[in-house]
Amino acid sequence: MKTQAVHQELDRARANGPLRQIQIPPCPELLSRLREAMSAHPQPDLDAVGRIAAADVAMSATLLRVANSPLHLVAGNVPCTTVGQAMYRIGLDESAALMQAFLVRHAIPVNSPHLSRFWQRSTKRAVAMAFIARQLPGMRGDLAYSYGLFCHVGMPVLLQSVRGYGATMVEAGARIDRPFIATENANHRTDHAVVGALVVKVWHLAPELMMAIRLHHDFDALGDDSVEPEVRSLIAAGVISEHLMRQHEGLDEDADWAANREAALAWLHLTDEDLEQWDDTLRPLLDEA
């Protein structure tokens, strides 16, 4: 499925199909400004990023909390007291990632027992994806982090817009005879992968991200030469990140990992031994996320 085909699919469903009733929250202004500042050439606009970080007291507090956490506050360091100090200690890329997570979380609030840990798990998935990107030459860390953050964003949007979606989530989670998105489509003629891609499209985020979100349950994409390699890498890394998260949480392997483990590892040229080594290094990062 080509990027243009996904755009057309979403436009048709938005105009006269099942997406007509979906309410997409607007992209936060600070997030748009952050993306601009981070993509400035020849290098990111550090002053602009600093102004954005200081524009929201709660976001500033988040940066300070992370900078002063055990993961960053090593022996001999004094605690950070300003946003500038916090960003210097954390690093620009991680600071921008934390700011993005904060802004997205507040733009799409979740107030439902069906998704009680949604943003906590989304943030952990984003951390795992960024970690995987650092191990794989050529994978963009910012794109990987965004994929982890937005992977299931269609769920809270559907929950806010579609009557009965909460019951659908319960049913889909309980059924073992068909995939989660099959139950979504049976009940609502759409699913969280499509709606998540729509959020990315409306917010004018990267087209590779839109494609990966749209296809993140279509695992045949891993072997489909018509799908861009970067998109396939995001999907494969997503399967691995979910597996590593479940290990961290002490959960059993899920059906997606059992069915697609070999394809994901083969596409990224990884082995089980690689994942065992990553697990040890990733655990403290997930503890802090």
Side-chain angles (χ1 to χ4, degrees), residues 25-268:
C27 181
E29 180 191 353
L30 287 179
L31 181 58
S32 297
R33 286 168 52 190
L34 177 63
R35 288 171 49 218
E36 256 183 63
M38 289 298 295
S39 60
H41 294 289
Q43 60 185 10
D45 187 337
L46 300 180
D47 291 337
V49 175
R51 288 193 297 272
I52 295 163
D56 187 292
V57 173
M59 185 160 62
S60 300
T62 298
L63 292 170
L64 286 165
R65 176 181 57 79
V66 172
N68 291 325
S69 70
L71 198 63
H72 292 283
L73 186 60
V74 297
N77 281 355
V78 297
C80 296
T81 58
T82 69
V83 173
Q85 291 170 350
M87 292 178 62
Y88 180 80
R89 178 172 293 170
I90 297 169
L92 179 62
D93 289 341
E94 186 175 345
S95 295
L98 287 167
M99 292 160 65
Q100 177 184 213
F102 176 91
L103 292 166
V104 173
R105 187 173 192 154
H106 285 76
I108 307 176
V110 176
N111 300 304
S112 168
H114 299 297
L115 292 172
S116 59
R117 297 176 58 236
F118 179 81
W119 284 119
Q120 181 185 3
R121 293 199 88 250
S122 295
T123 301
K124 288 181 183 294
R125 185 183 303 106
V127 168
M129 284 292 297
F131 171 84
I132 292 171
R134 291 194 293 272
Q135 320 308 312
L136 300 176
M139 181 174 277
R140 292 159 51 191
D142 60 335
L143 196 62
Y145 186 95
S146 294
Y147 176 89
L149 197 62
F150 282 90
C151 188
H152 296 307
V153 77
M155 290 182 178
V157 173
L158 278 164
L159 200 56
Q160 292 171 4
S161 299
V162 176
R163 180 176 297 176
Y165 182 71
T168 294
M169 292 186 69
V170 175
E171 178 190 351
R175 298 187 69 146
I176 59 173
D177 60 323
R178 63 185 183 188
F180 195 101
I181 61 171
T183 298
E184 290 178 312
N185 277 289
N187 293 356
H188 306 294
R189 295 193 303 128
T190 192
D191 58 63
H192 71 275
V194 173
V195 175
L198 179 62
V199 173
V200 173
K201 173 181 167 65
V202 170
W203 285 20
H204 302 293
L205 303 180
E208 299 88 353
L209 179 62
M210 182 192 70
M211 279 289 292
I213 299 299
R214 172 64 184 87
L215 298 175
H216 79 272
H217 280 294
D218 184 0
F219 297 108
D220 289 343
L222 292 173
D224 186 346
D225 290 339
S226 71
V227 177
E228 293 180 15
E230 192 166 24
V231 172
R232 294 160 76 181
S233 293
L234 287 172
I235 296 170
V239 176
I240 293 170
S241 68
E242 194 70 30
H243 168 66
L244 293 172
M245 283 174 59
R246 291 181 70 86
Q247 284 195 159
H248 177 259
E249 296 169 347
L251 301 175
D252 294 334
E253 292 182 357
D254 66 358
D256 285 345
W257 177 247
N260 302 288
R261 169 183 157 278
E262 289 185 11
L265 292 177
W267 174 254
L268 297 175

